[in-house]
Amino acid sequence: MLTFVTTNPGKVHEAEEYLDDPIQQLDFDYPEVQADDLATVAAHGARAAYRHAGEPVIVDDSGLTIDALGGFPGPYSSYVEDRLGIERVWELTKQEDDRSAAFRGVVAYCDGEDFAATPEPVDRGEADESRSERRGQDLGADERASATIDAQVAGGDGTIPVKLFEGVVPGEIVAPRGDGGFGFDPIFEYDGRTFAEMDTDEKNAISHRGRALAKFAEWFANIER
Ligand code: ITT
Protein backbone atom coordinates (compact mmCIF):
# COMPACT_ATOMS: atom_id res chain seq x y z
CA MET A 1 0.00 0.00 0.00
CA LEU A 2 1.32 3.39 -0.98
CA THR A 3 0.05 6.61 0.59
CA PHE A 4 -0.56 9.59 -1.69
CA VAL A 5 -0.64 12.67 0.50
CA THR A 6 -2.83 15.25 -1.21
CA THR A 7 -6.00 17.23 -0.75
CA ASN A 8 -6.85 16.57 -4.41
CA PRO A 9 -8.67 13.28 -5.18
CA GLY A 10 -8.25 13.95 -8.92
CA LYS A 11 -4.51 13.35 -8.55
CA VAL A 12 -5.08 10.02 -6.79
CA HIS A 13 -7.54 8.94 -9.44
CA GLU A 14 -4.90 9.56 -12.11
CA ALA A 15 -2.16 7.78 -10.14
CA GLU A 16 -4.28 4.65 -9.70
CA GLU A 17 -4.02 4.04 -13.43
CA TYR A 18 -0.25 3.70 -13.17
CA LEU A 19 0.60 1.69 -10.12
CA ASP A 20 0.20 -1.99 -9.47
CA ASP A 21 0.21 -1.36 -5.72
CA PRO A 22 -3.02 -0.08 -4.18
CA ILE A 23 -2.95 3.62 -3.28
CA GLN A 24 -4.67 5.32 -0.39
CA GLN A 25 -5.26 9.04 -0.21
CA LEU A 26 -4.21 10.82 2.96
CA ASP A 27 -5.96 14.16 2.89
CA PHE A 28 -3.33 16.29 4.63
CA ASP A 29 -2.51 19.82 3.54
CA TYR A 30 1.23 19.78 4.20
CA PRO A 31 2.90 23.21 4.41
CA GLU A 32 4.21 24.36 1.04
CA VAL A 33 7.44 26.37 1.08
CA GLN A 34 7.76 29.37 -1.15
CA ALA A 35 10.25 28.59 -3.89
CA ASP A 36 10.56 29.25 -7.61
CA ASP A 37 10.99 25.63 -8.58
CA LEU A 38 8.51 22.82 -8.13
CA ALA A 39 11.18 20.28 -7.20
CA THR A 40 12.11 22.20 -4.04
CA VAL A 41 8.46 22.59 -3.07
CA ALA A 42 7.78 18.90 -3.72
CA ALA A 43 10.85 17.73 -1.78
CA HIS A 44 9.90 19.77 1.28
CA GLY A 45 6.32 18.57 0.95
CA ALA A 46 7.35 14.92 0.77
CA ARG A 47 9.41 15.22 3.98
CA ALA A 48 6.56 16.94 5.80
CA ALA A 49 4.10 14.35 4.49
CA TYR A 50 6.36 11.48 5.51
CA ARG A 51 6.75 12.90 9.02
CA HIS A 52 2.99 13.21 9.27
CA ALA A 53 2.10 9.79 7.82
CA GLY A 54 5.00 7.78 9.28
CA GLU A 55 5.00 5.50 6.23
CA PRO A 56 6.16 5.65 2.59
CA VAL A 57 4.49 8.53 0.79
CA ILE A 58 4.28 10.26 -2.53
CA VAL A 59 3.27 13.86 -3.06
CA ASP A 60 2.75 15.68 -6.33
CA ASP A 61 3.43 19.33 -6.86
CA SER A 62 2.24 20.72 -10.16
CA GLY A 63 1.79 24.05 -11.82
CA LEU A 64 0.80 25.81 -15.00
CA THR A 65 3.35 28.13 -16.63
CA ILE A 66 2.22 30.66 -19.25
CA ASP A 67 5.09 31.83 -21.44
CA ALA A 68 3.78 35.33 -22.24
CA LEU A 69 3.21 35.96 -18.52
CA GLY A 70 6.77 35.11 -17.52
CA GLY A 71 5.86 31.63 -16.30
CA PHE A 72 2.94 32.85 -14.14
CA PRO A 73 1.26 31.29 -12.16
CA GLY A 74 3.91 28.54 -11.81
CA PRO A 75 4.41 27.50 -8.16
CA TYR A 76 1.53 29.80 -7.18
CA SER A 77 -1.00 27.95 -9.37
CA SER A 78 -3.12 26.72 -6.52
CA TYR A 79 -3.41 30.19 -4.98
CA VAL A 80 -4.22 31.75 -8.35
CA GLU A 81 -6.88 29.14 -9.13
CA ASP A 82 -8.40 29.80 -5.75
CA ARG A 83 -8.27 33.61 -5.79
CA LEU A 84 -8.58 34.52 -9.49
CA GLY A 85 -10.16 31.42 -11.00
CA ILE A 86 -9.36 29.90 -14.36
CA GLU A 87 -11.72 32.18 -16.30
CA ARG A 88 -9.65 35.20 -15.30
CA VAL A 89 -6.41 33.43 -16.14
CA TRP A 90 -7.88 32.94 -19.62
CA GLU A 91 -8.91 36.66 -19.72
CA LEU A 92 -5.34 37.67 -18.90
CA THR A 93 -3.83 35.37 -21.50
CA LYS A 94 -6.20 36.08 -24.36
CA GLN A 95 -4.70 39.56 -24.75
CA GLU A 96 -1.40 37.95 -25.74
CA ASP A 97 -0.40 36.86 -29.25
CA ASP A 98 1.55 33.93 -27.86
CA ARG A 99 -0.66 31.73 -25.66
CA SER A 100 1.74 28.87 -25.25
CA ALA A 101 1.95 27.29 -21.83
CA ALA A 102 3.04 24.12 -20.07
CA PHE A 103 1.94 21.99 -17.19
CA ARG A 104 4.88 20.90 -15.06
CA GLY A 105 4.72 18.37 -12.29
CA VAL A 106 7.01 16.67 -9.83
CA VAL A 107 6.13 13.43 -8.05
CA ALA A 108 8.23 13.12 -4.90
CA TYR A 109 8.69 9.86 -2.95
CA CYS A 110 9.96 9.59 0.61
CA ASP A 111 10.23 6.54 2.84
CA GLY A 112 12.94 7.75 5.21
CA GLU A 113 15.66 5.76 3.40
CA ASP A 114 18.35 6.66 0.91
CA PHE A 115 18.00 5.56 -2.72
CA ALA A 116 20.25 3.84 -5.21
CA ALA A 117 21.48 5.95 -8.10
CA THR A 118 19.17 6.21 -11.12
CA PRO A 119 18.77 8.97 -13.69
CA GLU A 120 16.14 10.72 -11.57
CA PRO A 121 17.37 13.30 -9.05
CA VAL A 122 17.43 12.88 -5.28
CA ASP A 123 16.92 15.96 -3.10
CA ARG A 124 18.94 15.66 0.10
CA GLY A 125 18.18 19.11 1.40
CA GLU A 126 21.71 20.48 0.96
CA ALA A 127 20.54 23.27 -1.33
CA ASP A 128 18.00 24.34 1.28
CA GLU A 129 20.58 24.54 4.01
CA SER A 130 22.98 26.69 2.01
CA ARG A 131 20.12 28.90 0.84
CA SER A 132 18.88 29.38 4.40
CA GLU A 133 22.36 30.29 5.60
CA ARG A 134 22.78 32.78 2.78
CA ARG A 135 19.41 34.31 3.47
CA GLY A 136 20.18 34.67 7.13
CA GLN A 137 23.41 36.52 6.38
CA ASP A 138 22.82 38.95 3.59
CA LEU A 139 19.20 39.10 2.47
CA GLY A 140 16.25 41.27 3.45
CA ALA A 141 13.52 40.77 6.03
CA ASP A 142 11.06 39.05 3.67
CA GLU A 143 13.64 36.55 2.60
CA ARG A 144 14.73 35.92 6.18
CA ALA A 145 11.09 35.15 6.97
CA SER A 146 11.07 32.71 4.09
CA ALA A 147 14.27 31.09 5.35
CA THR A 148 12.59 30.62 8.71
CA ILE A 149 9.77 28.78 7.02
CA ASP A 150 12.32 26.61 5.20
CA ALA A 151 13.92 25.72 8.49
CA GLN A 152 10.59 24.96 10.14
CA VAL A 153 9.47 22.74 7.33
CA ALA A 154 12.81 20.98 7.20
CA GLY A 155 12.25 20.44 10.93
CA GLY A 156 15.90 19.54 11.46
CA ASP A 157 15.60 16.54 9.13
CA GLY A 158 16.20 18.29 5.83
CA THR A 159 18.65 15.54 5.00
CA ILE A 160 16.00 12.83 4.60
CA PRO A 161 16.42 11.93 0.92
CA VAL A 162 13.52 12.44 -1.44
CA LYS A 163 13.35 10.89 -4.90
CA LEU A 164 11.97 13.19 -7.60
CA PHE A 165 10.25 12.38 -10.91
CA GLU A 166 9.47 15.21 -13.28
CA GLY A 167 7.04 15.56 -16.17
CA VAL A 168 6.20 18.42 -18.54
CA VAL A 169 3.56 18.81 -21.25
CA PRO A 170 3.38 21.78 -23.63
CA GLY A 171 0.05 23.26 -24.71
CA GLU A 172 -1.96 26.43 -25.28
CA ILE A 173 -4.29 28.49 -23.12
CA VAL A 174 -7.81 28.68 -24.59
CA ALA A 175 -11.32 29.72 -23.52
CA PRO A 176 -12.68 27.12 -21.06
CA ARG A 177 -14.09 23.92 -22.66
CA GLY A 178 -15.00 20.52 -21.25
CA ASP A 179 -16.34 19.02 -18.02
CA GLY A 180 -13.67 16.46 -17.11
CA GLY A 181 -10.49 16.66 -15.06
CA PHE A 182 -9.90 19.37 -12.49
CA GLY A 183 -8.10 22.66 -11.88
CA PHE A 184 -6.88 24.38 -15.05
CA ASP A 185 -7.85 21.48 -17.36
CA PRO A 186 -10.68 23.38 -19.15
CA ILE A 187 -8.29 26.15 -20.35
CA PHE A 188 -5.33 23.91 -21.29
CA GLU A 189 -5.42 22.63 -24.86
CA TYR A 190 -3.20 19.92 -26.26
CA ASP A 191 -3.46 18.88 -29.88
CA GLY A 192 -6.90 20.44 -30.45
CA ARG A 193 -8.63 19.32 -27.24
CA THR A 194 -8.54 20.63 -23.69
CA PHE A 195 -7.56 18.27 -20.88
CA ALA A 196 -11.13 18.65 -19.61
CA GLU A 197 -12.36 17.18 -22.91
CA MET A 198 -10.30 14.00 -22.41
CA ASP A 199 -11.01 11.02 -20.20
CA THR A 200 -8.48 10.03 -17.55
CA ASP A 201 -6.67 7.52 -19.77
CA GLU A 202 -6.26 10.01 -22.57
CA LYS A 203 -5.05 12.74 -20.23
CA ASN A 204 -2.63 10.39 -18.47
CA ALA A 205 -1.09 9.30 -21.76
CA ILE A 206 0.22 12.82 -22.36
CA SER A 207 0.00 14.81 -19.14
CA HIS A 208 2.83 16.08 -16.94
CA ARG A 209 1.57 13.89 -14.09
CA GLY A 210 1.26 10.87 -16.37
CA ARG A 211 4.86 11.31 -17.49
CA ALA A 212 6.14 11.74 -13.95
CA LEU A 213 4.03 8.82 -12.65
CA ALA A 214 5.20 6.52 -15.44
CA LYS A 215 8.83 7.13 -14.42
CA PHE A 216 7.96 6.71 -10.74
CA ALA A 217 5.98 3.49 -11.34
CA GLU A 218 8.85 1.91 -13.25
CA TRP A 219 11.36 2.82 -10.54
CA PHE A 220 9.03 1.85 -7.67
CA ALA A 221 8.37 -1.60 -9.14
CA ASN A 222 12.11 -2.30 -8.98
CA ILE A 223 13.18 -0.99 -5.58
CA GLU A 224 13.61 -3.34 -2.69
CA ARG A 225 10.85 -3.02 -0.12
P1 ITT B 1 -2.22 19.10 -3.11
O1 ITT B 1 -1.14 20.17 -3.05
O2 ITT B 1 -2.96 18.88 -1.85
O3 ITT B 1 -1.70 17.80 -3.70
P2 ITT B 1 -3.44 20.89 -5.06
O4 ITT B 1 -4.64 20.73 -5.94
O5 ITT B 1 -3.32 22.13 -4.22
O6 ITT B 1 -3.35 19.57 -4.17
P3 ITT B 1 -0.92 21.56 -6.43
O7 ITT B 1 -0.53 22.54 -5.40
O8 ITT B 1 0.11 20.62 -6.96
O9 ITT B 1 -2.17 20.69 -5.95
O10 ITT B 1 -1.61 22.20 -7.69
C1 ITT B 1 -1.35 23.45 -8.14
C2 ITT B 1 -2.50 23.93 -8.95
O11 ITT B 1 -2.39 23.36 -10.24
C3 ITT B 1 -3.89 23.60 -8.42
O12 ITT B 1 -4.69 24.73 -8.66
C4 ITT B 1 -4.34 22.43 -9.25
O13 ITT B 1 -5.74 22.42 -9.44
C5 ITT B 1 -3.61 22.72 -10.56
N1 ITT B 1 -3.28 21.48 -11.24
C6 ITT B 1 -2.36 20.55 -10.86
N2 ITT B 1 -2.37 19.51 -11.70
C7 ITT B 1 -3.31 19.79 -12.62
C8 ITT B 1 -3.83 19.09 -13.72
O14 ITT B 1 -3.39 17.89 -14.05
N3 ITT B 1 -4.80 19.65 -14.42
C9 ITT B 1 -5.28 20.86 -14.11
N4 ITT B 1 -4.88 21.59 -13.08
C10 ITT B 1 -3.90 21.05 -12.33
Side-chain angles (χ1 to χ4, degrees):
M1 176 72 77
L2 182 61
T3 300
F4 195 156
V5 181
T6 176
T7 60
N8 185 334
K11 290 183 177 180
V12 183
H13 186 54
E14 290 179 8
E16 278 164 349
E17 310 276 326
Y18 276 90
L19 297 162
D20 295 334
D21 292 54
I23 307 180
Q24 63 176 354
Q25 178 183 0
L26 179 57
D27 189 339
F28 168 57
D29 198 6
Y30 52 82
E32 283 194 5
V33 293
Q34 208 173 351
D36 287 342
D37 65 306
L38 292 170
T40 300
V41 179
H44 274 284
R47 288 190 189 97
Y50 171 71
R51 269 204 306 280
H52 179 79
E55 56 195 12
V57 295
I58 54 172
V59 304
D60 165 292
D61 199 65
S62 310
L64 178 69
T65 54
I66 301 174
D67 295 358
L69 304 182
F72 175 88
Y76 311 105
S77 296
S78 190
Y79 182 79
V80 168
E81 185 195 342
D82 194 40
R83 301 297 167 101
L84 283 186
I86 65 168
E87 184 74 46
R88 285 174 72 189
V89 173
W90 156 241
E91 296 292 335
L92 275 176
T93 314
K94 83 174 178 193
Q95 304 163 21
E96 306 291 337
D97 296 331
D98 174 12
R99 296 176 188 163
S100 45
F103 266 127
R104 298 169 193 280
V106 176
V107 170
Y109 173 81
C110 184
D111 62 10
E113 304 290 329
D114 204 352
F115 307 111
T118 66
E120 283 73 40
V122 177
D123 182 299
R124 293 192 168 80
E126 295 100 336
D128 302 330
E129 281 158 25
S130 61
R131 195 177 55 226
S132 296
E133 277 166 24
R134 188 169 54 79
R135 279 181 171 151
Q137 284 160 10
D138 52 42
L139 297 181
D142 286 354
E143 284 145 318
R144 273 200 296 278
S146 173
T148 309
I149 293 170
D150 274 359
Q152 283 167 354
V153 174
D157 62 358
T159 52
I160 296 178
V162 174
K163 192 80 174 166
L164 302 168
F165 303 85
E166 300 179 335
V168 182
V169 59
E172 286 237 334
I173 301 301
V174 296
R177 295 196 320 262
D179 303 320
F182 62 90
F184 296 94
D185 282 345
I187 62 166
F188 188 82
E189 186 185 74
Y190 179 89
D191 205 16
R193 282 186 304 156
T194 69
F195 273 4
E197 293 175 315
M198 301 179 188
D199 63 29
T200 302
D201 282 350
E202 289 173 314
K203 179 182 167 186
N204 268 346
I206 47 179
S207 79
H208 55 304
R209 185 165 307 99
R211 290 174 183 180
L213 282 168
K215 290 192 218 170
F216 168 69
E218 188 186 347
W219 173 82
F220 191 59
N222 290 309
I223 61 168
E224 283 185 25
R225 277 174 279 148

